[in-house]
Amino acid sequence: MEKVMTEEQSANAWEPKIVAIVCNWCTYAGADLAGISRIQYPPNVRIIRVPCTGRINPFYILRALQEGADGVLVSGCHPGECHYITGNLTARRKFAALKSFLGYIGLEGDRTLFTWVSASEGDRFAQVIRGVTKAVRALGPARKLVKGI
Amino acid sequence: MENVEKKLREEAKGLLAEKKVDVVVGYEKGTLPLTATPCFITTPEEADRLVWNPFCVLNLAKFVHDLLSQHHEAQKRVKPEARRKKVVGVVARGCTSRSLVIHLQEKQYGRDELVILGVPCGGYLDEKKLAALAGGEEIREGSLDDGKIAVKTVKGEHQAPLKELLADNCLVCRFNQPVIADIQTGEIAPVAEAEKEYDPVTAFENLPPEARWAYFEKEMAKCIRCAACRNVCPSCYCRICFAEQSQPRWVDIGADPSDTQLFQLMRMYHMVGRCVDCGSCTAVCPMGVDLRKFLKKLDKDAFSMFGHRAGVSMDEPALLGAYKETDGEEFIFEPKHGG
């Protein structure tokens, strides 16, 4: 269980801000299921719903990092389960290259994370969010590519 | 080299005389010593201006795309029955031909709009290395004899073997023969040390992340966002570049270092599986940003992850326009049970 914070504590303590860009058909529904099943997960994610992971311009991820997100999570349907048949398969290539490239220039690997969560995996969604929050928390506040630093 | 040049002029003359092409894009002698500049030949008489030597730097595929896309655009305003086809002849070495293949893969124009005059390439002269040889002085006279470059400046004369002055990408070029050509001129050029092509990338990968970030930050701080790299890149042909789009505004135009970093990151990322390592961007960069260090990584990844080499085969689809069910998934995040 997550610790309960007072208002004063939360104003002083740093909490990771994570942008989760998720697909409408699987992960968003999975998040929904986590919600209606009342599964607890950290409140650090801000979810952005898109039609498909294939619709995500890699610049969304970079832009989120620039605007001060401490981590970006992209999640869609498992390969082979895409609502648009192949959207996540083309996205997979894009993200593989992007993640490798960002690692190459020296960005921490856990700032950008990619995973698959299906509509029936509410539990997995909560696990992913817990895992991502933990990983980003371990890295501390973002300092690279951030505007105004 | 003279033979190639002679053959090239003959072929260009023939093509223009027979009206098989409307224009030949090639190189002509530059106005400064030891330079060549892109030129557009439209009449058989002008074909004698064409040259082929190690001073031919820029990738001509860019001009082919410009000519043809402008023509396509202009034809939209013409009555259908009055529309005409424009055929462009282009002098193409290995990297130029790969860029042409990329354009064809991406359906920018048809193969019938193109006549490729393939030339063997032994690499081109790096202007920055030449400037270093001349000690930063203005080069008054220069000559290339027997694989040796000699320059004359006000302060004296300098000499160096051509091989020492070749651009970095040419030294490790894997495709110094055109991958497609309609007319091939000249002998096959000697192969460069292609097996060393990823050495600088591997060395960089082995540095600690903080050192890599520091290098990236340092290089990007040099960038003045003149967009010369984009304008010269044959793979950068969008009519409206994301850098200039205002709705949405992808990248801010402020002086914040992160804006420049983002512009460069995104421009480079657009080169996944599309960069042919022609070196035009580094050649034109007025600030000497080490773009190649980063672009070569994308090239390496495209090959190591997906077995894709940019613009090598007409049968292969564009890298990011395709997928395989067996594509690697190592980067996918798996939470441990219970988080």
Side-chain angles (χ1 to χ4, degrees), chain A residues 57-60 62-63 66-67 73 79 86 89-90 92-108 113-116 123-124 127-128 130-132 134-135 143-149, chain B residues 201 204-205 209-210 212-213 216 242 249-252 256 258-259 261-262 265-266 268-269 272 293-294 297-298 301 305-306 319-329 331-339:
Chain A
N57 185 327
F59 214 166
Y60 291 175
L62 295 178
R63 190 70 170 166
Q66 191 197 16
E67 297 292 338
L73 168 73
T86 59
L89 294 175
T90 45
R92 184 165 65 176
R93 281 198 164 182
K94 278 195 260 183
F95 298 147
L98 181 69
K99 189 166 166 97
S100 164
F101 191 45
L102 290 179
Y104 182 74
I105 65 157
L107 206 74
E108 302 92 338
L113 295 161
F114 304 91
T115 194
W116 317 121
D123 196 38
R124 181 181 155 89
Q127 270 178 36
V128 164
R130 277 185 221 124
V132 169
K134 201 172 155 194
R143 285 277 170 269
K144 293 167 185 169
L145 283 184
V146 183
K147 196 162 190 163
I149 289 190
Chain B
V201 176
F204 193 69
E205 278 168 350
E210 289 311 314
R212 296 204 298 265
W213 174 256
F216 176 75
F242 74 92
R249 190 167 66 183
W250 292 106
V251 54
D252 294 338
D256 194 279
S258 73
D259 289 337
Q261 288 164 4
L262 236 64
L265 261 184
M266 211 53 205
M268 290 193 280
Y269 178 76
V272 185
K293 177 88 92 230
F294 304 106
K297 165 68 175 171
L298 294 170
D301 277 355
M305 289 181 186
F306 311 113
L319 179 71
L320 292 188
Y323 64 89
K324 279 196 188 116
E325 273 158 26
T326 50
D327 283 341
E329 282 228 331
F331 71 100
I332 293 292
F333 177 76
E334 280 302 327
K336 289 179 200 77
H337 193 75

Side-chain angles (χ1 to χ4, degrees), chain B residues 260-337:
Chain B
T260 312
Q261 288 164 4
L262 236 64
F263 163 68
Q264 285 290 359
L265 261 184
M266 211 53 205
R267 195 196 85 78
M268 290 193 280
Y269 178 76
H270 283 159
M271 294 303 136
V272 185
R274 303 173 72 231
C275 176
V276 297
D277 200 16
C278 64
S280 294
C281 51
T282 29
V284 298
C285 181
M287 307 309 285
V289 179
D290 186 4
L291 295 166
R292 190 166 174 264
K293 177 88 92 230
F294 304 106
L295 288 166
K296 202 66 190 160
K297 165 68 175 171
L298 294 170
D299 187 33
K300 186 186 176 192
D301 277 355
F303 184 66
S304 63
M305 289 181 186
F306 311 113
H308 181 95
R309 283 199 200 278
V312 170
S313 155
M314 288 282 288
D315 309 322
E316 258 182 75
L319 179 71
L320 292 188
Y323 64 89
K324 279 196 188 116
E325 273 158 26
T326 50
D327 283 341
E329 282 228 331
E330 304 76 42
F331 71 100
I332 293 292
F333 177 76
E334 280 302 327
K336 289 179 200 77
H337 193 75

Side-chain angles (χ1 to χ4, degrees), chain B residues 1-15:
Chain B
M1 218 42 97
E2 280 77 38
N3 289 335
V4 176
E5 216 166 78
K6 211 173 130 213
K7 180 95 192 300
L8 199 60
R9 288 173 184 169
E10 272 170 30
E11 294 290 353
K13 208 174 279 183
L15 286 170

Side-chain angles (χ1 to χ4, degrees), chain B residues 191-258:
Chain B
V191 188
E193 294 171 304
E195 67 283 359
K196 289 189 188 163
E197 100 183 288
Y198 299 129
D199 285 3
V201 176
T202 314
F204 193 69
E205 278 168 350
N206 291 333
L207 293 175
E210 289 311 314
R212 296 204 298 265
W213 174 256
Y215 186 76
F216 176 75
E217 236 182 350
K218 183 185 107 219
E219 287 302 310
M220 293 309 135
K222 290 185 204 165
C223 173
I224 53 170
R225 304 249 315 251
C226 65
C229 49
R230 180 201 65 189
N231 291 352
V232 81
C233 177
S235 287
C236 268
Y237 56 66
C238 292
R239 282 174 61 205
I240 300 172
C241 175
F242 74 92
E244 273 127 35
Q245 242 177 31
S246 54
Q247 284 184 329
R249 190 167 66 183
W250 292 106
V251 54
D252 294 338
I253 49 175
D256 194 279
S258 73

